[in-house]
């Protein structure tokens, strides 16, 4: 799993409520081998999350619609992308909030946990 995880990368846009400016705006989301980044196209705020661990669950974690994520104003959605573990183009459940982020592959149950690392508002569009 380790080598494939290091080569994995996604980049996509998702319209969500910004954690900083509280506007509904396009959020640029990058998932890299060791970090996850979000960037608001409205206010320029960036949130950086560091990979904390990757493991295989015994059953699919319930990220979508979980009251834990909703209580924190989280973004909960599905994203079709290549899994770094099973190499399948499959549905991945994504949860991103102000403290952590999780991504879980529906096919092989690889779950990646990211912890909030830094906040930056250095750029403007």
């Amino acid at each position: 799993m380790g080598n494939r995880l290091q080569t994995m990368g996604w980049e996509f846009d998702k319209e969500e409520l910004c954690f900083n400016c509280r506007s509904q705006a396009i959020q640029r989301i990058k998932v890299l081998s060791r970090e996850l980044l979000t960037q608001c196209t409205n206010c320029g705020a960036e949130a950086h999350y560091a990979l904390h661990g990757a493991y295989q669950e015994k059953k699919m974690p319930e990220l979508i619609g979980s009251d834990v994520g909703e209580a924190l104003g989280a973004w909960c959605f599905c994203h079709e992308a290549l899994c770094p573990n099973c190499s399948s183009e499959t549905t991945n459940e994504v949860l991103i909030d102000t403290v952590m982020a999780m991504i879980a592959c529906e096919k092989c149950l690889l779950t990646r946990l990211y912890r909030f690392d830094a906040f930056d508002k250095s750029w403007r569009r």
Side-chain angles (χ1 to χ4, degrees), residues 13-19 21-28 39-44 75 125:
D13 290 349
K14 181 83 173 133
E15 187 168 341
E16 295 287 348
L17 187 66
C18 176
F19 296 129
C21 68
R22 307 304 295 166
S23 294
Q24 192 74 17
I26 298 294
Q27 307 297 316
R28 294 227 158 87
Q39 185 177 65
C40 178
T41 60
N42 185 55
C43 71
W75 306 337
R125 57 177 197 138

Side-chain angles (χ1 to χ4, degrees), residues 42-59:
N42 185 55
C43 71
E46 293 180 359
H48 300 255
Y49 301 79
L51 181 66
H52 183 67
Y55 50 91
Q56 282 188 277
E57 291 282 1
K58 293 184 177 153
K59 65 177 191 161

Side-chain angles (χ1 to χ4, degrees), residues 111-125:
T111 302
R112 288 163 285 160
L113 176 65
Y114 300 82
R115 288 199 176 158
F116 178 77
D117 189 43
F119 181 77
D120 183 20
K121 222 178 112 167
S122 61
W123 71 275
R124 296 275 179 200
R125 57 177 197 138

Side-chain angles (χ1 to χ4, degrees), residues 2 13 25 38 58 66 71 73 76 99-100 105 110 112:
D13 290 349
T38 67
K58 293 184 177 153
S66 72
C76 297
V99 177
M100 58 82 121
C105 172
L110 174 71
R112 288 163 285 160

Side-chain angles (χ1 to χ4, degrees), residues 17-95:
L17 187 66
C18 176
F19 296 129
N20 182 59
C21 68
R22 307 304 295 166
S23 294
Q24 192 74 17
I26 298 294
Q27 307 297 316
R28 294 227 158 87
I29 300 170
K30 284 185 185 179
V31 180
L32 305 171
S33 60
R34 299 278 176 218
E35 66 182 331
L36 184 147
L37 310 164
T38 67
Q39 185 177 65
C40 178
T41 60
N42 185 55
C43 71
E46 293 180 359
H48 300 255
Y49 301 79
L51 181 66
H52 183 67
Y55 50 91
Q56 282 188 277
E57 291 282 1
K58 293 184 177 153
K59 65 177 191 161
M60 187 66 177
E62 296 197 26
L63 303 182
I64 305 300
S66 72
D67 54 358
V68 172
E70 289 172 6
L72 296 170
W75 306 337
C76 297
F77 57 90
C78 290
H79 181 68
E80 295 292 319
L82 186 69
C83 173
N85 186 49
C86 66
S87 300
S88 297
E89 184 79 22
T90 189
T91 300
N92 291 267
E93 289 193 11
V94 180
L95 170 87

